[in-house]
Amino acid sequence: MSTEALLRTLRTELDDGGLRGSFLVRDLRTRRELGIDPDLEFPSASLVKVPLAAATLERVRLGELDGATPIDVRPGRVTTPGPTGLTRFRHPARVAIDDLLYLIMAISDGTAADALFELTPPAEVTRMLREWGVDGVTVRHPMGELADTPAERFGPGEIHLAHSLAIRAGTAGRGHPVSQLDITHASSGSARAYAGLLEALWRPSKVDESVAARVRELMAQNLMRQRLSPDFWSDATKWSSKTGTLLNLRHEVGVAEHADGQVFAVAALTESRVPAAIQPEAEILMARVARTLRDHLRTH
């Protein structure tokens, strides 16, 4: 199948499945790439934990922070489905910076991320990204803001109402009355922008190699493996990634390192038109599209 025919088919499959997305697969050895609307910008949700980790580790490298420093963390006390780790704790905890980094990457702990954002604010994380030559990824707020969406105001049997609002209230210019979904207010990025960040972490760049190596290690320890992982993770492929989820948004960015030496950055950012919180079909579809793009790029 030609590349043009493949992209038409994949766009149709996404539309039939109720998804709109920004996808990009990039060969990190040759920089050849293939994508679907790769410059379409989305709110980043928990994807921002990747630049947060890199910025924190850079400050540790410079001696501005000590990874062994214990941080007193207030309990999140969240009881709604979804959040993990310290965000669900009922009592205060004392956790070292290094261990907070593990929590934000392995289980996407939002409270742990906000403890790190108190040390390195969002504007500083964005400034460091620009110094590294990473454009298009912008960090605008801590994670706590993501916990105050319409989903938290409805009962368990009414969650579809929050998703209906998320789906129907957006504007053509990517604005939204739900501030967390408005790309001018929320942390944001596109598939191309996040692929650029992954390339800066996996290939020689302005990011110090010791910092990049530790971020790669943390991403490999990600335990959220329900989305793209089934199509990329195997005995012959190392998959290192970070997911992001918010209302009708489902994202994942990662790098597939194959035993034959091929290395691909994969970025998939999507929004669903289906007003439901649990959508395994959407997870399967976005993974299949990303895998098909990678397979085509790998063999052509």
PDB file of all heavy atoms in Angstrom, residues 34-66:
ATOM      1  N   LEU A  34       6.864   9.650   9.798  1.00  0.00           N
ATOM      2  CA  LEU A  34       5.561   9.480   9.192  1.00  0.00           C
ATOM      3  C   LEU A  34       4.517   9.805  10.254  1.00  0.00           C
ATOM      4  O   LEU A  34       4.636   9.365  11.412  1.00  0.00           O
ATOM      5  CB  LEU A  34       5.383   8.039   8.710  1.00  0.00           C
ATOM      6  CG  LEU A  34       4.100   7.699   7.939  1.00  0.00           C
ATOM      7  CD1 LEU A  34       4.025   8.507   6.646  1.00  0.00           C
ATOM      8  CD2 LEU A  34       4.057   6.197   7.644  1.00  0.00           C
ATOM      9  N   GLY A  35       3.507  10.596   9.876  1.00  0.00           N
ATOM     10  CA  GLY A  35       2.538  10.982  10.891  1.00  0.00           C
ATOM     11  C   GLY A  35       1.181  11.340  10.321  1.00  0.00           C
ATOM     12  O   GLY A  35       0.981  11.414   9.100  1.00  0.00           O
ATOM     13  N   ILE A  36       0.258  11.561  11.238  1.00  0.00           N
ATOM     14  CA  ILE A  36      -1.093  12.019  10.932  1.00  0.00           C
ATOM     15  C   ILE A  36      -1.328  13.283  11.755  1.00  0.00           C
ATOM     16  O   ILE A  36      -1.266  13.237  12.994  1.00  0.00           O
ATOM     17  CB  ILE A  36      -2.148  10.960  11.287  1.00  0.00           C
ATOM     18  CG1 ILE A  36      -1.952   9.698  10.439  1.00  0.00           C
ATOM     19  CG2 ILE A  36      -3.562  11.504  11.112  1.00  0.00           C
ATOM     20  CD1 ILE A  36      -2.831   8.534  10.871  1.00  0.00           C
ATOM     21  N   ASP A  37      -1.526  14.400  11.109  1.00  0.00           N
ATOM     22  CA  ASP A  37      -1.723  15.690  11.779  1.00  0.00           C
ATOM     23  C   ASP A  37      -0.690  15.887  12.902  1.00  0.00           C
ATOM     24  O   ASP A  37      -1.054  16.185  14.046  1.00  0.00           O
ATOM     25  CB  ASP A  37      -3.133  15.794  12.362  1.00  0.00           C
ATOM     26  CG  ASP A  37      -4.207  15.813  11.283  1.00  0.00           C
ATOM     27  OD1 ASP A  37      -3.912  16.289  10.173  1.00  0.00           O
ATOM     28  OD2 ASP A  37      -5.332  15.346  11.547  1.00  0.00           O
ATOM     29  N   PRO A  38       0.598  15.732  12.609  1.00  0.00           N
ATOM     30  CA  PRO A  38       1.609  15.761  13.664  1.00  0.00           C
ATOM     31  C   PRO A  38       1.770  17.104  14.359  1.00  0.00           C
ATOM     32  O   PRO A  38       2.345  17.162  15.456  1.00  0.00           O
ATOM     33  CB  PRO A  38       2.899  15.365  12.935  1.00  0.00           C
ATOM     34  CG  PRO A  38       2.654  15.779  11.509  1.00  0.00           C
ATOM     35  CD  PRO A  38       1.192  15.522  11.274  1.00  0.00           C
ATOM     36  N   ASP A  39       1.265  18.183  13.754  1.00  0.00           N
ATOM     37  CA  ASP A  39       1.407  19.509  14.365  1.00  0.00           C
ATOM     38  C   ASP A  39       0.137  19.971  15.081  1.00  0.00           C
ATOM     39  O   ASP A  39       0.094  21.097  15.586  1.00  0.00           O
ATOM     40  CB  ASP A  39       1.801  20.534  13.295  1.00  0.00           C
ATOM     41  CG  ASP A  39       3.158  20.209  12.691  1.00  0.00           C
ATOM     42  OD1 ASP A  39       4.130  20.078  13.459  1.00  0.00           O
ATOM     43  OD2 ASP A  39       3.235  20.057  11.453  1.00  0.00           O
ATOM     44  N   LEU A  40      -0.865  19.109  15.149  1.00  0.00           N
ATOM     45  CA  LEU A  40      -2.096  19.444  15.859  1.00  0.00           C
ATOM     46  C   LEU A  40      -1.807  19.440  17.362  1.00  0.00           C
ATOM     47  O   LEU A  40      -1.310  18.466  17.913  1.00  0.00           O
ATOM     48  CB  LEU A  40      -3.183  18.427  15.531  1.00  0.00           C
ATOM     49  CG  LEU A  40      -4.578  18.683  16.102  1.00  0.00           C
ATOM     50  CD1 LEU A  40      -5.153  19.990  15.578  1.00  0.00           C
ATOM     51  CD2 LEU A  40      -5.497  17.508  15.775  1.00  0.00           C
ATOM     52  N   GLU A  41      -2.132  20.555  18.016  1.00  0.00           N
ATOM     53  CA  GLU A  41      -1.756  20.740  19.420  1.00  0.00           C
ATOM     54  C   GLU A  41      -2.862  20.256  20.353  1.00  0.00           C
ATOM     55  O   GLU A  41      -4.049  20.464  20.098  1.00  0.00           O
ATOM     56  CB  GLU A  41      -1.464  22.224  19.667  1.00  0.00           C
ATOM     57  CG  GLU A  41      -0.665  22.506  20.906  1.00  0.00           C
ATOM     58  CD  GLU A  41      -0.196  23.956  20.969  1.00  0.00           C
ATOM     59  OE1 GLU A  41      -0.508  24.724  20.043  1.00  0.00           O
ATOM     60  OE2 GLU A  41       0.474  24.306  21.957  1.00  0.00           O
ATOM     61  N   PHE A  42      -2.452  19.617  21.443  1.00  0.00           N
ATOM     62  CA  PHE A  42      -3.375  19.110  22.452  1.00  0.00           C
ATOM     63  C   PHE A  42      -2.897  19.526  23.842  1.00  0.00           C
ATOM     64  O   PHE A  42      -1.693  19.720  24.056  1.00  0.00           O
ATOM     65  CB  PHE A  42      -3.425  17.578  22.422  1.00  0.00           C
ATOM     66  CG  PHE A  42      -4.234  16.997  21.307  1.00  0.00           C
ATOM     67  CD1 PHE A  42      -3.645  16.675  20.095  1.00  0.00           C
ATOM     68  CD2 PHE A  42      -5.592  16.762  21.460  1.00  0.00           C
ATOM     69  CE1 PHE A  42      -4.373  16.128  19.066  1.00  0.00           C
ATOM     70  CE2 PHE A  42      -6.339  16.219  20.430  1.00  0.00           C
ATOM     71  CZ  PHE A  42      -5.739  15.900  19.237  1.00  0.00           C
ATOM     72  N   PRO A  43      -3.808  19.618  24.819  1.00  0.00           N
ATOM     73  CA  PRO A  43      -3.370  19.711  26.208  1.00  0.00           C
ATOM     74  C   PRO A  43      -2.551  18.461  26.544  1.00  0.00           C
ATOM     75  O   PRO A  43      -2.912  17.347  26.152  1.00  0.00           O
ATOM     76  CB  PRO A  43      -4.683  19.740  26.998  1.00  0.00           C
ATOM     77  CG  PRO A  43      -5.695  20.250  26.024  1.00  0.00           C
ATOM     78  CD  PRO A  43      -5.288  19.695  24.695  1.00  0.00           C
ATOM     79  N   SER A  44      -1.454  18.638  27.261  1.00  0.00           N
ATOM     80  CA  SER A  44      -0.502  17.541  27.458  1.00  0.00           C
ATOM     81  C   SER A  44      -0.855  16.588  28.580  1.00  0.00           C
ATOM     82  O   SER A  44      -0.388  15.450  28.598  1.00  0.00           O
ATOM     83  CB  SER A  44       0.896  18.113  27.731  1.00  0.00           C
ATOM     84  OG  SER A  44       1.382  18.830  26.631  1.00  0.00           O
ATOM     85  N   ALA A  45      -1.671  17.050  29.571  1.00  0.00           N
ATOM     86  CA  ALA A  45      -1.960  16.238  30.752  1.00  0.00           C
ATOM     87  C   ALA A  45      -0.636  15.760  31.369  1.00  0.00           C
ATOM     88  O   ALA A  45       0.303  16.533  31.493  1.00  0.00           O
ATOM     89  CB  ALA A  45      -2.904  15.092  30.390  1.00  0.00           C
ATOM     90  N   SER A  46      -0.543  14.478  31.700  1.00  0.00           N
ATOM     91  CA  SER A  46       0.623  13.988  32.440  1.00  0.00           C
ATOM     92  C   SER A  46       1.881  13.807  31.597  1.00  0.00           C
ATOM     93  O   SER A  46       2.935  13.453  32.137  1.00  0.00           O
ATOM     94  CB  SER A  46       0.287  12.663  33.139  1.00  0.00           C
ATOM     95  OG  SER A  46      -0.564  12.891  34.241  1.00  0.00           O
ATOM     96  N   LEU A  47       1.803  14.063  30.291  1.00  0.00           N
ATOM     97  CA  LEU A  47       3.033  14.027  29.492  1.00  0.00           C
ATOM     98  C   LEU A  47       4.047  15.042  30.002  1.00  0.00           C
ATOM     99  O   LEU A  47       5.255  14.876  29.797  1.00  0.00           O
ATOM    100  CB  LEU A  47       2.724  14.311  28.019  1.00  0.00           C
ATOM    101  CG  LEU A  47       1.841  13.311  27.274  1.00  0.00           C
ATOM    102  CD1 LEU A  47       1.729  13.724  25.805  1.00  0.00           C
ATOM    103  CD2 LEU A  47       2.369  11.888  27.383  1.00  0.00           C
ATOM    104  N   VAL A  48       3.575  16.111  30.681  1.00  0.00           N
ATOM    105  CA  VAL A  48       4.504  17.139  31.163  1.00  0.00           C
ATOM    106  C   VAL A  48       5.456  16.593  32.226  1.00  0.00           C
ATOM    107  O   VAL A  48       6.449  17.245  32.551  1.00  0.00           O
ATOM    108  CB  VAL A  48       3.768  18.363  31.735  1.00  0.00           C
ATOM    109  CG1 VAL A  48       2.948  19.046  30.671  1.00  0.00           C
ATOM    110  CG2 VAL A  48       2.901  17.990  32.929  1.00  0.00           C
ATOM    111  N   LYS A  49       5.175  15.409  32.748  1.00  0.00           N
ATOM    112  CA  LYS A  49       6.074  14.850  33.759  1.00  0.00           C
ATOM    113  C   LYS A  49       7.427  14.456  33.172  1.00  0.00           C
ATOM    114  O   LYS A  49       8.414  14.341  33.894  1.00  0.00           O
ATOM    115  CB  LYS A  49       5.399  13.671  34.456  1.00  0.00           C
ATOM    116  CG  LYS A  49       4.220  14.121  35.333  1.00  0.00           C
ATOM    117  CD  LYS A  49       3.342  12.974  35.779  1.00  0.00           C
ATOM    118  CE  LYS A  49       2.133  13.513  36.552  1.00  0.00           C
ATOM    119  NZ  LYS A  49       1.108  12.504  36.788  1.00  0.00           N
ATOM    120  N   VAL A  50       7.479  14.268  31.859  1.00  0.00           N
ATOM    121  CA  VAL A  50       8.780  13.984  31.227  1.00  0.00           C
ATOM    122  C   VAL A  50       9.689  15.217  31.285  1.00  0.00           C
ATOM    123  O   VAL A  50      10.814  15.128  31.790  1.00  0.00           O
ATOM    124  CB  VAL A  50       8.600  13.482  29.778  1.00  0.00           C
ATOM    125  CG1 VAL A  50       9.966  13.242  29.137  1.00  0.00           C
ATOM    126  CG2 VAL A  50       7.766  12.203  29.754  1.00  0.00           C
ATOM    127  N   PRO A  51       9.254  16.395  30.789  1.00  0.00           N
ATOM    128  CA  PRO A  51      10.128  17.570  30.942  1.00  0.00           C
ATOM    129  C   PRO A  51      10.348  17.957  32.391  1.00  0.00           C
ATOM    130  O   PRO A  51      11.422  18.466  32.736  1.00  0.00           O
ATOM    131  CB  PRO A  51       9.396  18.672  30.169  1.00  0.00           C
ATOM    132  CG  PRO A  51       8.009  18.191  29.985  1.00  0.00           C
ATOM    133  CD  PRO A  51       8.083  16.700  29.933  1.00  0.00           C
ATOM    134  N   LEU A  52       9.366  17.727  33.272  1.00  0.00           N
ATOM    135  CA  LEU A  52       9.573  18.018  34.697  1.00  0.00           C
ATOM    136  C   LEU A  52      10.703  17.166  35.252  1.00  0.00           C
ATOM    137  O   LEU A  52      11.565  17.664  35.991  1.00  0.00           O
ATOM    138  CB  LEU A  52       8.278  17.754  35.473  1.00  0.00           C
ATOM    139  CG  LEU A  52       8.399  17.814  37.007  1.00  0.00           C
ATOM    140  CD1 LEU A  52       8.832  19.197  37.472  1.00  0.00           C
ATOM    141  CD2 LEU A  52       7.062  17.413  37.652  1.00  0.00           C
ATOM    142  N   ALA A  53      10.715  15.887  34.905  1.00  0.00           N
ATOM    143  CA  ALA A  53      11.795  15.009  35.372  1.00  0.00           C
ATOM    144  C   ALA A  53      13.147  15.481  34.840  1.00  0.00           C
ATOM    145  O   ALA A  53      14.136  15.538  35.585  1.00  0.00           O
ATOM    146  CB  ALA A  53      11.526  13.572  34.936  1.00  0.00           C
ATOM    147  N   ALA A  54      13.194  15.829  33.552  1.00  0.00           N
ATOM    148  CA  ALA A  54      14.457  16.279  32.965  1.00  0.00           C
ATOM    149  C   ALA A  54      14.951  17.563  33.623  1.00  0.00           C
ATOM    150  O   ALA A  54      16.141  17.713  33.928  1.00  0.00           O
ATOM    151  CB  ALA A  54      14.287  16.483  31.462  1.00  0.00           C
ATOM    152  N   ALA A  55      14.037  18.506  33.862  1.00  0.00           N
ATOM    153  CA  ALA A  55      14.425  19.775  34.482  1.00  0.00           C
ATOM    154  C   ALA A  55      14.903  19.560  35.915  1.00  0.00           C
ATOM    155  O   ALA A  55      15.894  20.170  36.351  1.00  0.00           O
ATOM    156  CB  ALA A  55      13.240  20.741  34.460  1.00  0.00           C
ATOM    157  N   THR A  56      14.230  18.694  36.662  1.00  0.00           N
ATOM    158  CA  THR A  56      14.646  18.413  38.039  1.00  0.00           C
ATOM    159  C   THR A  56      16.019  17.774  38.062  1.00  0.00           C
ATOM    160  O   THR A  56      16.892  18.149  38.863  1.00  0.00           O
ATOM    161  CB  THR A  56      13.618  17.477  38.714  1.00  0.00           C
ATOM    162  OG1 THR A  56      12.322  18.089  38.684  1.00  0.00           O
ATOM    163  CG2 THR A  56      14.007  17.200  40.156  1.00  0.00           C
ATOM    164  N   LEU A  57      16.248  16.819  37.184  1.00  0.00           N
ATOM    165  CA  LEU A  57      17.543  16.137  37.134  1.00  0.00           C
ATOM    166  C   LEU A  57      18.662  17.079  36.694  1.00  0.00           C
ATOM    167  O   LEU A  57      19.806  16.957  37.161  1.00  0.00           O
ATOM    168  CB  LEU A  57      17.459  14.938  36.187  1.00  0.00           C
ATOM    169  CG  LEU A  57      16.651  13.760  36.739  1.00  0.00           C
ATOM    170  CD1 LEU A  57      16.268  12.805  35.620  1.00  0.00           C
ATOM    171  CD2 LEU A  57      17.441  13.038  37.829  1.00  0.00           C
ATOM    172  N   GLU A  58      18.350  18.031  35.808  1.00  0.00           N
ATOM    173  CA  GLU A  58      19.354  19.018  35.411  1.00  0.00           C
ATOM    174  C   GLU A  58      19.756  19.884  36.602  1.00  0.00           C
ATOM    175  O   GLU A  58      20.946  20.198  36.795  1.00  0.00           O
ATOM    176  CB  GLU A  58      18.810  19.887  34.272  1.00  0.00           C
ATOM    177  CG  GLU A  58      19.695  21.067  33.869  1.00  0.00           C
ATOM    178  CD  GLU A  58      21.031  20.655  33.269  1.00  0.00           C
ATOM    179  OE1 GLU A  58      21.277  19.443  33.071  1.00  0.00           O
ATOM    180  OE2 GLU A  58      21.841  21.559  32.995  1.00  0.00           O
ATOM    181  N   ARG A  59      18.799  20.247  37.425  1.00  0.00           N
ATOM    182  CA  ARG A  59      19.110  21.044  38.616  1.00  0.00           C
ATOM    183  C   ARG A  59      19.907  20.225  39.636  1.00  0.00           C
ATOM    184  O   ARG A  59      20.766  20.772  40.339  1.00  0.00           O
ATOM    185  CB  ARG A  59      17.822  21.589  39.232  1.00  0.00           C
ATOM    186  CG  ARG A  59      17.099  22.591  38.324  1.00  0.00           C
ATOM    187  CD  ARG A  59      16.015  23.317  39.069  1.00  0.00           C
ATOM    188  NE  ARG A  59      16.574  24.106  40.151  1.00  0.00           N
ATOM    189  CZ  ARG A  59      15.912  24.473  41.243  1.00  0.00           C
ATOM    190  NH1 ARG A  59      14.640  24.099  41.399  1.00  0.00           N
ATOM    191  NH2 ARG A  59      16.487  25.188  42.172  1.00  0.00           N
ATOM    192  N   VAL A  60      19.653  18.932  39.705  1.00  0.00           N
ATOM    193  CA  VAL A  60      20.468  18.060  40.562  1.00  0.00           C
ATOM    194  C   VAL A  60      21.899  18.020  40.023  1.00  0.00           C
ATOM    195  O   VAL A  60      22.875  18.130  40.781  1.00  0.00           O
ATOM    196  CB  VAL A  60      19.864  16.642  40.633  1.00  0.00           C
ATOM    197  CG1 VAL A  60      20.839  15.675  41.314  1.00  0.00           C
ATOM    198  CG2 VAL A  60      18.523  16.667  41.377  1.00  0.00           C
ATOM    199  N   ARG A  61      22.029  17.883  38.715  1.00  0.00           N
ATOM    200  CA  ARG A  61      23.362  17.844  38.099  1.00  0.00           C
ATOM    201  C   ARG A  61      24.139  19.121  38.370  1.00  0.00           C
ATOM    202  O   ARG A  61      25.359  19.083  38.636  1.00  0.00           O
ATOM    203  CB  ARG A  61      23.233  17.640  36.586  1.00  0.00           C
ATOM    204  CG  ARG A  61      24.569  17.510  35.862  1.00  0.00           C
ATOM    205  CD  ARG A  61      24.370  17.449  34.365  1.00  0.00           C
ATOM    206  NE  ARG A  61      24.061  18.739  33.789  1.00  0.00           N
ATOM    207  CZ  ARG A  61      24.967  19.654  33.422  1.00  0.00           C
ATOM    208  NH1 ARG A  61      26.266  19.412  33.597  1.00  0.00           N
ATOM    209  NH2 ARG A  61      24.588  20.802  32.896  1.00  0.00           N
ATOM    210  N   LEU A  62      23.448  20.258  38.342  1.00  0.00           N
ATOM    211  CA  LEU A  62      24.113  21.548  38.570  1.00  0.00           C
ATOM    212  C   LEU A  62      24.380  21.825  40.042  1.00  0.00           C
ATOM    213  O   LEU A  62      25.014  22.825  40.379  1.00  0.00           O
ATOM    214  CB  LEU A  62      23.250  22.674  37.988  1.00  0.00           C
ATOM    215  CG  LEU A  62      23.071  22.672  36.463  1.00  0.00           C
ATOM    216  CD1 LEU A  62      22.059  23.729  36.047  1.00  0.00           C
ATOM    217  CD2 LEU A  62      24.415  22.896  35.768  1.00  0.00           C
ATOM    218  N   GLY A  63      23.895  20.966  40.919  1.00  0.00           N
ATOM    219  CA  GLY A  63      24.099  21.161  42.349  1.00  0.00           C
ATOM    220  C   GLY A  63      23.083  22.077  43.002  1.00  0.00           C
ATOM    221  O   GLY A  63      23.219  22.417  44.182  1.00  0.00           O
ATOM    222  N   GLU A  64      22.052  22.476  42.261  1.00  0.00           N
ATOM    223  CA  GLU A  64      21.009  23.339  42.829  1.00  0.00           C
ATOM    224  C   GLU A  64      20.040  22.550  43.711  1.00  0.00           C
ATOM    225  O   GLU A  64      19.398  23.118  44.603  1.00  0.00           O
ATOM    226  CB  GLU A  64      20.245  24.031  41.710  1.00  0.00           C
ATOM    227  CG  GLU A  64      21.106  24.929  40.840  1.00  0.00           C
ATOM    228  CD  GLU A  64      20.367  25.482  39.624  1.00  0.00           C
ATOM    229  OE1 GLU A  64      19.170  25.195  39.477  1.00  0.00           O
ATOM    230  OE2 GLU A  64      21.006  26.195  38.821  1.00  0.00           O
ATOM    231  N   LEU A  65      19.927  21.258  43.434  1.00  0.00           N
ATOM    232  CA  LEU A  65      19.107  20.353  44.236  1.00  0.00           C
ATOM    233  C   LEU A  65      19.942  19.120  44.561  1.00  0.00           C
ATOM    234  O   LEU A  65      20.885  18.785  43.851  1.00  0.00           O
ATOM    235  CB  LEU A  65      17.850  19.930  43.477  1.00  0.00           C
ATOM    236  CG  LEU A  65      16.847  21.005  43.067  1.00  0.00           C
ATOM    237  CD1 LEU A  65      15.761  20.400  42.171  1.00  0.00           C
ATOM    238  CD2 LEU A  65      16.216  21.666  44.280  1.00  0.00           C
ATOM    239  N   ASP A  66      19.539  18.434  45.622  1.00  0.00           N
ATOM    240  CA  ASP A  66      20.170  17.169  45.999  1.00  0.00           C
ATOM    241  C   ASP A  66      19.095  16.095  45.926  1.00  0.00           C
ATOM    242  O   ASP A  66      18.054  16.198  46.587  1.00  0.00           O
ATOM    243  CB  ASP A  66      20.731  17.270  47.419  1.00  0.00           C
ATOM    244  CG  ASP A  66      21.472  16.012  47.842  1.00  0.00           C
ATOM    245  OD1 ASP A  66      21.279  14.948  47.221  1.00  0.00           O
ATOM    246  OD2 ASP A  66      22.248  16.083  48.820  1.00  0.00           O
TER     247      ASP A  66
END
